């Protein structure tokens, strides 16, 4: 998956260091990142020495195997040269995978920083906390931590069959097959979210829910929690057409092969196809 960058090591350790000449800058415009593709499927993010930006506009995010990554808060507009706006979803399939993962994770933090410039309690401008990754209101002491949205993804199985879906056009631009997914609600355990989402989206009951794995998904600020669950009772699908355009049972042998398993959904479908689940 996208976070599997070994032997490189991701470190979220926090401080207020300033960029050095070789520090990598993550700069965003909507869901695009500033970068270049020196060759097909290779992603290059700019270094601090390559752009005319002040050091105080760059906030330290994290490091990967000793390489520092910063978010540049200054709005830039590429004017020729090597760098341009690259869609994040496309860049996640580029090498090196450590930089693709870094871009997705940096986007998560950049959106959080941008959305919390002012205190939600008193309206005062927020500042970075000196000790931990949080935003502090110097007026009232309000402390705000990064927002992480828990999401479940569930592969519903019935013997040798897997339930796959496609989103409705109004709900997502994604046209490939996916698994049932949804946000955990307040007061809800992840397993309860699995049961509720399956019932709401396709009108089925499930049993024997078992955990598969997780994935940080920085594009949307989510933490995806993957589960498999067995059909309990009738296999008759009742489609929630406001969210899904299609849901169908596909046998293990008829599932398409997923050569790209960077996303948890794809990894889970490939795990079922190959008999690992």
């Amino acid at each position: 998956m996208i976070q599997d960058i070994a032997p490189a090591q991701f470190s979220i350790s926090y401080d207020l260091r300033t960029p050095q000449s070789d520090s990598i800058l993550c700069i965003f415009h909507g869901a695009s990142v500033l970068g270049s593709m020196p060759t097909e499927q290779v992603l290059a993010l700019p270094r601090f020495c390559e752009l005319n930006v002040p050091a105080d506009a760059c906030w330290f995010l994290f490091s990967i195997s000793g390489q520092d990554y910063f978010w540049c808060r200054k709005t830039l507009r590429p004017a020729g040269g090597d760098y341009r706006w690259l869609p994040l979803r496309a860049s996640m399939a580029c090498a090196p995978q450590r930089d693709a993962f870094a871009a997705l994770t940096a986007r998560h933090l950049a959106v959080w920083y941008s959305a919390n410039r002012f205190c939600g309690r008193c309206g005062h401008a927020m500042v970075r906390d000196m000790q931990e990754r949080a935003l502090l209101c110097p007026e009232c002491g309000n402390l705000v931590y990064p927002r992480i949205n828990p999401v479940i993804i569930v592969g519903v199985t019935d013997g040798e069959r897997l339930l796959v879906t496609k989103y409705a056009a109004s709900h997502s631009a994604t046209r490939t097959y996916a698994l049932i997914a949804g946000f955990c609600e307040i007061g809800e355990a992840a397993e309860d979210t699995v049961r509720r989402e399956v019932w709401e989206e396709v009108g089925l009951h499930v049993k024997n829910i078992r955990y598969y794995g997780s994935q940080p998904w920085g594009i949307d600020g989510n933490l995806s929690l993957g589960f498999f669950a067995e059909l309990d009772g009738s296999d008759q699908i009742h489609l929630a057409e406001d969210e899904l355009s299609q849901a169908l049972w596909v046998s293990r042998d008829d599932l398409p092969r997923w050569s790209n398993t960077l996303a948890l959904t794809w990894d889970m479908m490939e795990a079922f196809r190959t008999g690992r689940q």
Side-chain angles (χ1 to χ4, degrees), residues 17-42:
R17 72 186 71 171
T18 56
Q20 304 301 305
S21 62
D22 66 341
S23 297
I24 293 179
L25 299 186
C26 297
I27 307 172
F28 300 98
H29 178 69
S32 298
V33 64
L34 188 68
S36 68
M37 296 185 71
T39 61
E40 187 177 1
Q41 296 302 304
V42 173

PDB file of all heavy atoms in Angstrom, residues 17-42:
ATOM      1  N   ARG A  17      11.657  23.326  13.444  1.00  0.00           N
ATOM      2  CA  ARG A  17      12.883  23.570  12.680  1.00  0.00           C
ATOM      3  C   ARG A  17      12.590  24.363  11.408  1.00  0.00           C
ATOM      4  O   ARG A  17      11.444  24.428  10.937  1.00  0.00           O
ATOM      5  CB  ARG A  17      13.573  22.256  12.336  1.00  0.00           C
ATOM      6  CG  ARG A  17      12.861  21.430  11.284  1.00  0.00           C
ATOM      7  CD  ARG A  17      13.504  20.066  11.093  1.00  0.00           C
ATOM      8  NE  ARG A  17      13.269  19.202  12.236  1.00  0.00           N
ATOM      9  CZ  ARG A  17      13.562  17.909  12.261  1.00  0.00           C
ATOM     10  NH1 ARG A  17      14.120  17.343  11.204  1.00  0.00           N
ATOM     11  NH2 ARG A  17      13.306  17.172  13.317  1.00  0.00           N
ATOM     12  N   THR A  18      13.626  24.961  10.849  1.00  0.00           N
ATOM     13  CA  THR A  18      13.511  25.745   9.619  1.00  0.00           C
ATOM     14  C   THR A  18      14.121  24.958   8.465  1.00  0.00           C
ATOM     15  O   THR A  18      14.976  24.093   8.657  1.00  0.00           O
ATOM     16  CB  THR A  18      14.216  27.096   9.760  1.00  0.00           C
ATOM     17  OG1 THR A  18      15.590  26.872  10.137  1.00  0.00           O
ATOM     18  CG2 THR A  18      13.543  27.953  10.823  1.00  0.00           C
ATOM     19  N   PRO A  19      13.704  25.247   7.240  1.00  0.00           N
ATOM     20  CA  PRO A  19      14.195  24.467   6.103  1.00  0.00           C
ATOM     21  C   PRO A  19      15.655  24.735   5.787  1.00  0.00           C
ATOM     22  O   PRO A  19      16.156  25.852   5.941  1.00  0.00           O
ATOM     23  CB  PRO A  19      13.283  24.910   4.960  1.00  0.00           C
ATOM     24  CG  PRO A  19      12.818  26.275   5.351  1.00  0.00           C
ATOM     25  CD  PRO A  19      12.703  26.243   6.845  1.00  0.00           C
ATOM     26  N   GLN A  20      16.332  23.686   5.331  1.00  0.00           N
ATOM     27  CA  GLN A  20      17.680  23.793   4.806  1.00  0.00           C
ATOM     28  C   GLN A  20      17.605  23.751   3.279  1.00  0.00           C
ATOM     29  O   GLN A  20      16.550  23.528   2.696  1.00  0.00           O
ATOM     30  CB  GLN A  20      18.542  22.653   5.331  1.00  0.00           C
ATOM     31  CG  GLN A  20      18.583  22.551   6.849  1.00  0.00           C
ATOM     32  CD  GLN A  20      19.108  23.815   7.505  1.00  0.00           C
ATOM     33  OE1 GLN A  20      20.203  24.274   7.180  1.00  0.00           O
ATOM     34  NE2 GLN A  20      18.335  24.385   8.433  1.00  0.00           N
ATOM     35  N   SER A  21      18.707  23.979   2.627  1.00  0.00           N
ATOM     36  CA  SER A  21      18.683  24.098   1.172  1.00  0.00           C
ATOM     37  C   SER A  21      18.117  22.855   0.484  1.00  0.00           C
ATOM     38  O   SER A  21      17.440  22.954  -0.544  1.00  0.00           O
ATOM     39  CB  SER A  21      20.085  24.392   0.639  1.00  0.00           C
ATOM     40  OG  SER A  21      20.973  23.329   0.957  1.00  0.00           O
ATOM     41  N   ASP A  22      18.367  21.665   1.066  1.00  0.00           N
ATOM     42  CA  ASP A  22      17.890  20.435   0.425  1.00  0.00           C
ATOM     43  C   ASP A  22      16.556  19.952   0.966  1.00  0.00           C
ATOM     44  O   ASP A  22      16.092  18.863   0.584  1.00  0.00           O
ATOM     45  CB  ASP A  22      18.939  19.332   0.556  1.00  0.00           C
ATOM     46  CG  ASP A  22      19.159  18.900   2.002  1.00  0.00           C
ATOM     47  OD1 ASP A  22      18.790  19.679   2.916  1.00  0.00           O
ATOM     48  OD2 ASP A  22      19.691  17.798   2.216  1.00  0.00           O
ATOM     49  N   SER A  23      15.924  20.710   1.849  1.00  0.00           N
ATOM     50  CA  SER A  23      14.614  20.317   2.375  1.00  0.00           C
ATOM     51  C   SER A  23      13.587  20.293   1.242  1.00  0.00           C
ATOM     52  O   SER A  23      13.609  21.135   0.339  1.00  0.00           O
ATOM     53  CB  SER A  23      14.153  21.279   3.464  1.00  0.00           C
ATOM     54  OG  SER A  23      15.030  21.251   4.568  1.00  0.00           O
ATOM     55  N   ILE A  24      12.690  19.320   1.291  1.00  0.00           N
ATOM     56  CA  ILE A  24      11.658  19.183   0.260  1.00  0.00           C
ATOM     57  C   ILE A  24      10.429  19.989   0.651  1.00  0.00           C
ATOM     58  O   ILE A  24       9.987  19.950   1.800  1.00  0.00           O
ATOM     59  CB  ILE A  24      11.302  17.701   0.049  1.00  0.00           C
ATOM     60  CG1 ILE A  24      12.501  16.968  -0.561  1.00  0.00           C
ATOM     61  CG2 ILE A  24      10.074  17.555  -0.848  1.00  0.00           C
ATOM     62  CD1 ILE A  24      12.272  15.492  -0.803  1.00  0.00           C
ATOM     63  N   LEU A  25       9.892  20.729  -0.312  1.00  0.00           N
ATOM     64  CA  LEU A  25       8.709  21.553  -0.080  1.00  0.00           C
ATOM     65  C   LEU A  25       7.473  20.894  -0.699  1.00  0.00           C
ATOM     66  O   LEU A  25       7.517  20.418  -1.838  1.00  0.00           O
ATOM     67  CB  LEU A  25       8.885  22.940  -0.681  1.00  0.00           C
ATOM     68  CG  LEU A  25      10.037  23.794  -0.146  1.00  0.00           C
ATOM     69  CD1 LEU A  25       9.979  25.192  -0.753  1.00  0.00           C
ATOM     70  CD2 LEU A  25      10.014  23.870   1.370  1.00  0.00           C
ATOM     71  N   CYS A  26       6.392  20.870   0.064  1.00  0.00           N
ATOM     72  CA  CYS A  26       5.102  20.378  -0.416  1.00  0.00           C
ATOM     73  C   CYS A  26       4.173  21.576  -0.534  1.00  0.00           C
ATOM     74  O   CYS A  26       3.856  22.220   0.469  1.00  0.00           O
ATOM     75  CB  CYS A  26       4.536  19.338   0.545  1.00  0.00           C
ATOM     76  SG  CYS A  26       5.560  17.853   0.706  1.00  0.00           S
ATOM     77  N   ILE A  27       3.776  21.877  -1.751  1.00  0.00           N
ATOM     78  CA  ILE A  27       2.952  23.053  -2.041  1.00  0.00           C
ATOM     79  C   ILE A  27       1.727  22.584  -2.813  1.00  0.00           C
ATOM     80  O   ILE A  27       1.846  21.822  -3.778  1.00  0.00           O
ATOM     81  CB  ILE A  27       3.741  24.091  -2.852  1.00  0.00           C
ATOM     82  CG1 ILE A  27       5.076  24.412  -2.146  1.00  0.00           C
ATOM     83  CG2 ILE A  27       2.932  25.365  -3.044  1.00  0.00           C
ATOM     84  CD1 ILE A  27       6.006  25.284  -2.957  1.00  0.00           C
ATOM     85  N   PHE A  28       0.555  23.051  -2.396  1.00  0.00           N
ATOM     86  CA  PHE A  28      -0.681  22.512  -2.952  1.00  0.00           C
ATOM     87  C   PHE A  28      -1.549  23.599  -3.564  1.00  0.00           C
ATOM     88  O   PHE A  28      -1.540  24.757  -3.136  1.00  0.00           O
ATOM     89  CB  PHE A  28      -1.468  21.782  -1.866  1.00  0.00           C
ATOM     90  CG  PHE A  28      -0.702  20.632  -1.254  1.00  0.00           C
ATOM     91  CD1 PHE A  28      -0.023  20.795  -0.052  1.00  0.00           C
ATOM     92  CD2 PHE A  28      -0.637  19.412  -1.900  1.00  0.00           C
ATOM     93  CE1 PHE A  28       0.694  19.758   0.498  1.00  0.00           C
ATOM     94  CE2 PHE A  28       0.080  18.363  -1.361  1.00  0.00           C
ATOM     95  CZ  PHE A  28       0.745  18.538  -0.155  1.00  0.00           C
ATOM     96  N   HIS A  29      -2.296  23.188  -4.554  1.00  0.00           N
ATOM     97  CA  HIS A  29      -3.343  24.010  -5.163  1.00  0.00           C
ATOM     98  C   HIS A  29      -4.542  23.102  -5.329  1.00  0.00           C
ATOM     99  O   HIS A  29      -4.593  22.261  -6.239  1.00  0.00           O
ATOM    100  CB  HIS A  29      -2.888  24.568  -6.503  1.00  0.00           C
ATOM    101  CG  HIS A  29      -3.938  25.383  -7.207  1.00  0.00           C
ATOM    102  ND1 HIS A  29      -4.360  26.618  -6.753  1.00  0.00           N
ATOM    103  CD2 HIS A  29      -4.662  25.133  -8.329  1.00  0.00           C
ATOM    104  CE1 HIS A  29      -5.284  27.087  -7.563  1.00  0.00           C
ATOM    105  NE2 HIS A  29      -5.488  26.209  -8.518  1.00  0.00           N
ATOM    106  N   GLY A  30      -5.499  23.205  -4.398  1.00  0.00           N
ATOM    107  CA  GLY A  30      -6.600  22.254  -4.398  1.00  0.00           C
ATOM    108  C   GLY A  30      -6.067  20.856  -4.136  1.00  0.00           C
ATOM    109  O   GLY A  30      -5.326  20.628  -3.187  1.00  0.00           O
ATOM    110  N   ALA A  31      -6.424  19.927  -5.011  1.00  0.00           N
ATOM    111  CA  ALA A  31      -5.981  18.543  -4.858  1.00  0.00           C
ATOM    112  C   ALA A  31      -4.787  18.233  -5.753  1.00  0.00           C
ATOM    113  O   ALA A  31      -4.584  17.083  -6.152  1.00  0.00           O
ATOM    114  CB  ALA A  31      -7.121  17.588  -5.163  1.00  0.00           C
ATOM    115  N   SER A  32      -3.989  19.264  -6.064  1.00  0.00           N
ATOM    116  CA  SER A  32      -2.785  19.083  -6.870  1.00  0.00           C
ATOM    117  C   SER A  32      -1.568  19.506  -6.079  1.00  0.00           C
ATOM    118  O   SER A  32      -1.639  20.378  -5.205  1.00  0.00           O
ATOM    119  CB  SER A  32      -2.866  19.894  -8.170  1.00  0.00           C
ATOM    120  OG  SER A  32      -3.939  19.460  -8.976  1.00  0.00           O
ATOM    121  N   VAL A  33      -0.438  18.896  -6.387  1.00  0.00           N
ATOM    122  CA  VAL A  33       0.816  19.199  -5.711  1.00  0.00           C
ATOM    123  C   VAL A  33       1.802  19.754  -6.734  1.00  0.00           C
ATOM    124  O   VAL A  33       1.800  19.363  -7.903  1.00  0.00           O
ATOM    125  CB  VAL A  33       1.392  17.932  -5.033  1.00  0.00           C
ATOM    126  CG1 VAL A  33       1.753  16.857  -6.054  1.00  0.00           C
ATOM    127  CG2 VAL A  33       2.588  18.278  -4.146  1.00  0.00           C
ATOM    128  N   LEU A  34       2.647  20.684  -6.296  1.00  0.00           N
ATOM    129  CA  LEU A  34       3.657  21.247  -7.182  1.00  0.00           C
ATOM    130  C   LEU A  34       4.800  20.253  -7.323  1.00  0.00           C
ATOM    131  O   LEU A  34       5.418  19.839  -6.326  1.00  0.00           O
ATOM    132  CB  LEU A  34       4.176  22.566  -6.617  1.00  0.00           C
ATOM    133  CG  LEU A  34       5.107  23.366  -7.546  1.00  0.00           C
ATOM    134  CD1 LEU A  34       4.327  23.893  -8.749  1.00  0.00           C
ATOM    135  CD2 LEU A  34       5.760  24.518  -6.794  1.00  0.00           C
ATOM    136  N   GLY A  35       5.084  19.847  -8.545  1.00  0.00           N
ATOM    137  CA  GLY A  35       6.153  18.888  -8.764  1.00  0.00           C
ATOM    138  C   GLY A  35       6.483  18.794 -10.236  1.00  0.00           C
ATOM    139  O   GLY A  35       5.946  19.521 -11.071  1.00  0.00           O
ATOM    140  N   SER A  36       7.395  17.906 -10.535  1.00  0.00           N
ATOM    141  CA  SER A  36       7.755  17.647 -11.924  1.00  0.00           C
ATOM    142  C   SER A  36       7.824  16.150 -12.136  1.00  0.00           C
ATOM    143  O   SER A  36       7.908  15.373 -11.181  1.00  0.00           O
ATOM    144  CB  SER A  36       9.099  18.304 -12.277  1.00  0.00           C
ATOM    145  OG  SER A  36      10.159  17.667 -11.577  1.00  0.00           O
ATOM    146  N   MET A  37       7.786  15.768 -13.399  1.00  0.00           N
ATOM    147  CA  MET A  37       7.922  14.357 -13.755  1.00  0.00           C
ATOM    148  C   MET A  37       9.056  14.247 -14.764  1.00  0.00           C
ATOM    149  O   MET A  37       8.833  14.325 -15.975  1.00  0.00           O
ATOM    150  CB  MET A  37       6.607  13.813 -14.309  1.00  0.00           C
ATOM    151  CG  MET A  37       5.465  13.832 -13.290  1.00  0.00           C
ATOM    152  SD  MET A  37       3.934  13.068 -13.889  1.00  0.00           S
ATOM    153  CE  MET A  37       4.426  11.330 -13.915  1.00  0.00           C
ATOM    154  N   PRO A  38      10.293  14.128 -14.267  1.00  0.00           N
ATOM    155  CA  PRO A  38      11.449  14.075 -15.181  1.00  0.00           C
ATOM    156  C   PRO A  38      11.368  12.945 -16.187  1.00  0.00           C
ATOM    157  O   PRO A  38      11.851  13.051 -17.305  1.00  0.00           O
ATOM    158  CB  PRO A  38      12.638  13.898 -14.233  1.00  0.00           C
ATOM    159  CG  PRO A  38      12.054  13.441 -12.934  1.00  0.00           C
ATOM    160  CD  PRO A  38      10.688  14.009 -12.869  1.00  0.00           C
ATOM    161  N   THR A  39      10.751  11.841 -15.784  1.00  0.00           N
ATOM    162  CA  THR A  39      10.423  10.756 -16.707  1.00  0.00           C
ATOM    163  C   THR A  39       9.040  10.260 -16.342  1.00  0.00           C
ATOM    164  O   THR A  39       8.514  10.580 -15.283  1.00  0.00           O
ATOM    165  CB  THR A  39      11.436   9.592 -16.613  1.00  0.00           C
ATOM    166  OG1 THR A  39      11.409   9.058 -15.283  1.00  0.00           O
ATOM    167  CG2 THR A  39      12.836  10.054 -16.953  1.00  0.00           C
ATOM    168  N   GLU A  40       8.436   9.467 -17.207  1.00  0.00           N
ATOM    169  CA  GLU A  40       7.086   8.976 -16.952  1.00  0.00           C
ATOM    170  C   GLU A  40       7.040   8.170 -15.659  1.00  0.00           C
ATOM    171  O   GLU A  40       7.902   7.326 -15.402  1.00  0.00           O
ATOM    172  CB  GLU A  40       6.623   8.108 -18.123  1.00  0.00           C
ATOM    173  CG  GLU A  40       5.161   7.688 -18.020  1.00  0.00           C
ATOM    174  CD  GLU A  40       4.700   6.899 -19.215  1.00  0.00           C
ATOM    175  OE1 GLU A  40       5.520   6.654 -20.121  1.00  0.00           O
ATOM    176  OE2 GLU A  40       3.523   6.517 -19.246  1.00  0.00           O
ATOM    177  N   GLN A  41       6.044   8.459 -14.834  1.00  0.00           N
ATOM    178  CA  GLN A  41       5.813   7.760 -13.572  1.00  0.00           C
ATOM    179  C   GLN A  41       6.905   8.004 -12.529  1.00  0.00           C
ATOM    180  O   GLN A  41       7.085   7.212 -11.612  1.00  0.00           O
ATOM    181  CB  GLN A  41       5.650   6.252 -13.805  1.00  0.00           C
ATOM    182  CG  GLN A  41       4.430   5.899 -14.643  1.00  0.00           C
ATOM    183  CD  GLN A  41       3.135   6.410 -14.013  1.00  0.00           C
ATOM    184  OE1 GLN A  41       2.827   6.090 -12.882  1.00  0.00           O
ATOM    185  NE2 GLN A  41       2.383   7.215 -14.756  1.00  0.00           N
ATOM    186  N   VAL A  42       7.638   9.104 -12.673  1.00  0.00           N
ATOM    187  CA  VAL A  42       8.610   9.507 -11.651  1.00  0.00           C
ATOM    188  C   VAL A  42       8.235  10.891 -11.155  1.00  0.00           C
ATOM    189  O   VAL A  42       8.061  11.822 -11.952  1.00  0.00           O
ATOM    190  CB  VAL A  42      10.053   9.509 -12.201  1.00  0.00           C
ATOM    191  CG1 VAL A  42      11.018  10.090 -11.168  1.00  0.00           C
ATOM    192  CG2 VAL A  42      10.479   8.098 -12.567  1.00  0.00           C
TER     193      VAL A  42
END
